[in-house]
Amino acid sequence: MADRVVENQDNEVPEIPEILEKVLLFSLDEAKQKLSQSNEVVPFTALAVKENLFIENHPGESVEACFNAARHTVQHAQGAQAYALCYDGYVEVDEGTKDALIAEGGVPGADKGFAVGYLYECAEDGTVEFENEPAYIGEAPNFMIALKAPGEYSDDEIDEKYTAEDETEFEAVDEGSEEE
């Protein structure tokens, strides 16, 4: 997903809602594990619904196809508290272009989302070395801009695939990819 553009006009890190920060950081940690194990990260979304986190992969023929599949999944997730779209990309820094795992996300009804990421380098032997701390990258689109806050939906309005009672907080439920 290297062709996504996230704007960063200043270096000041804004206040990110706590639930969104948790989902973004969880997604980055998942992506770090995947990249370290297989040298590949299929773009995925993570949706926080009640006490659960649902992960769905979005493979595609192009960056736009992955982005559109992720947007379709997230913009209809009534009752979700936050989401992250996580992918392998790059960022422009003073020293040039750096590889980065990027997680961008938002919360229902917010005008904008946020992007954070881990910069990394690949050694000649294939090992991946990540920066110690995630970096704020900039503002991102919010796929949940048209959704209401989670408490404003009745249980009947929340998709039943997000109402599992037996999951623990942020236990990943991998749903694979969705074709529509």
Side-chain angles (χ1 to χ4, degrees):
M1 298 238 342
D3 295 338
R4 291 273 300 132
V5 175
V6 175
E7 297 296 326
N8 185 1
Q9 278 97 33
D10 58 44
N11 293 329
E12 194 170 312
V13 178
E15 186 70 29
I16 297 174
E18 183 179 355
I19 185 70
L20 176 57
E21 184 177 342
K22 286 181 179 181
V23 174
L24 292 170
L25 294 176
F26 179 90
S27 297
L28 286 173
D29 287 343
E30 283 288 304
K32 281 173 63 173
Q33 288 178 354
K34 290 177 181 183
L35 188 64
S36 295
Q37 293 171 356
S38 67
N39 266 356
E40 180 181 26
V41 175
V42 174
F44 65 91
T45 51
L47 281 169
V49 181
K50 296 187 179 188
E51 307 301 316
N52 303 317
L53 190 69
F54 295 87
I55 296 176
E56 186 170 332
N57 291 323
H58 301 287
E61 296 293 318
S62 68
V63 171
E64 190 169 326
C66 295
F67 178 80
N68 289 339
R71 180 176 51 222
H72 177 77
T73 296
V74 171
Q75 71 187 7
H76 298 292
Q78 295 180 160
Q81 299 162 288
Y83 82 95
L85 165 60
C86 194
Y87 53 91
D88 189 7
Y90 62 87
V91 294
E92 298 288 334
V93 294
D94 293 338
E95 299 83 35
T97 302
K98 295 276 189 176
D99 290 323
L101 291 175
I102 300 170
E104 56 182 77
V107 295
D111 292 334
K112 62 185 176 196
F114 304 96
V116 297
Y118 276 108
L119 302 179
Y120 70 89
E121 292 184 12
C122 289
E124 288 185 24
D125 66 358
T127 59
V128 181
E129 293 186 28
F130 295 97
E131 294 284 327
N132 291 332
E133 297 290 324
Y136 173 70
I137 296 173
E139 289 182 8
N142 181 9
F143 297 162
M144 291 186 152
I145 193 168
L147 292 177
K148 299 182 280 189
E152 295 179 38
Y153 290 102
S154 70
D155 286 343
D156 292 340
E157 292 176 296
I158 299 173
D159 191 328
E160 65 183 50
K161 72 180 180 180
Y162 300 130
T163 58
E165 296 294 330
D166 58 347
E167 301 298 328
T168 58
E169 183 172 355
F170 284 9
E171 181 174 314
V173 177
D174 192 348
E175 296 182 351
S177 63
E178 180 179 282
E179 296 288 326
E180 285 193 35

